[in-house]
Amino acid sequence: MNNTFKIRPARADEAGLVLDFIKRLAEYEKCADEVVADEATLYHSLFVEHSAEVVFAEEDGVPIGFALFFHNFSTFVGRKGLYLEDLFIVPEKRGRGYGKALLKHLARLAVERNCGRMEWICLDWNKPALTVYRSIGAIPMDEWTVQRLTEPALKRFAQ
């Protein structure tokens, strides 16, 4: 890892940079056509409503990755948790420990904030990420299946 590497919170004037990283992640995950977020929506969600937080990984002052996360709540644990929604390192900087450093940063935040656990999902085909996750002690929750109502289905069901 480069000695000029650092992790810092996103600033309000960086909603466009957050969107750029989201689009790059979606492209990597082969679902770029699913990104409907725009800069104004992200600005409002992240820096006005504070619905989630973003940190950037930087090398020599240049953002090379990001993590977007928020707090959820576990009724079983009785405390909040830290939920990692997105983590992305630019391809040319992978394999240098930057992703693991972002995960460690978030783990420290979770401990500081008295979270009972930290969770995220990973695509089954993303073997490099799964290898990193196993190396840090993360365990798969194979018996759980993610359920989702997309906005159209959510609106139909809510009527």
Side-chain angles (χ1 to χ4, degrees):
M1 201 168 350
N2 186 310
N3 62 358
T4 64
F5 175 78
K6 74 175 192 174
I7 297 171
R8 65 162 180 86
R11 299 183 308 263
D13 64 343
E14 294 179 310
L17 182 58
V18 173
L19 180 58
D20 180 58
F21 273 108
I22 290 169
K23 288 178 177 179
R24 293 175 80 176
L25 172 63
E27 187 175 303
Y28 174 75
E29 292 182 343
K30 301 170 182 65
C31 57
D33 59 325
E34 294 180 31
V35 177
V36 296
D38 59 38
E39 190 173 335
T41 302
L42 285 172
Y43 173 82
H44 187 78
S45 295
L46 297 172
F47 304 107
V48 176
E49 292 180 344
H50 303 285
S51 300
E53 299 175 61
V54 172
V55 292
F56 288 115
E58 290 184 340
E59 182 183 76
D60 298 323
V62 177
I64 59 161
F66 89 121
L68 187 147
F69 62 98
F70 54 89
H71 290 289
N72 56 10
F73 189 84
S74 168
T75 54
F76 289 8
V77 176
R79 297 195 326 244
K80 67 183 173 185
L82 190 145
Y83 186 84
L84 173 59
E85 179 67 22
D86 290 331
L87 187 142
F88 180 79
I89 300 294
V90 296
E92 60 273 19
K93 299 295 182 178
R94 293 185 187 145
R96 300 180 188 187
Y98 296 138
K100 192 179 281 190
L102 271 173
L103 287 167
K104 186 176 286 273
H105 178 82
L106 296 178
R108 287 179 180 142
L109 278 179
V111 169
E112 288 171 13
R113 296 176 182 188
N114 195 34
C115 295
R117 57 184 168 205
M118 182 169 134
E119 296 177 313
W120 61 94
I121 60 173
C122 182
L123 292 165
D124 291 339
W125 57 259
N126 193 345
K127 301 302 180 200
L130 291 168
T131 299
V132 171
Y133 301 153
R134 291 304 152 279
S135 78
I136 66 169
I139 55 170
M141 303 294 291
D142 294 331
E143 66 275 15
W144 296 83
T145 303
V146 176
Q147 305 296 308
R148 175 179 294 161
L149 283 174
T150 60
E151 188 174 12
L154 181 63
K155 286 180 177 179
R156 277 193 308 277
F157 183 64
Q159 292 179 351

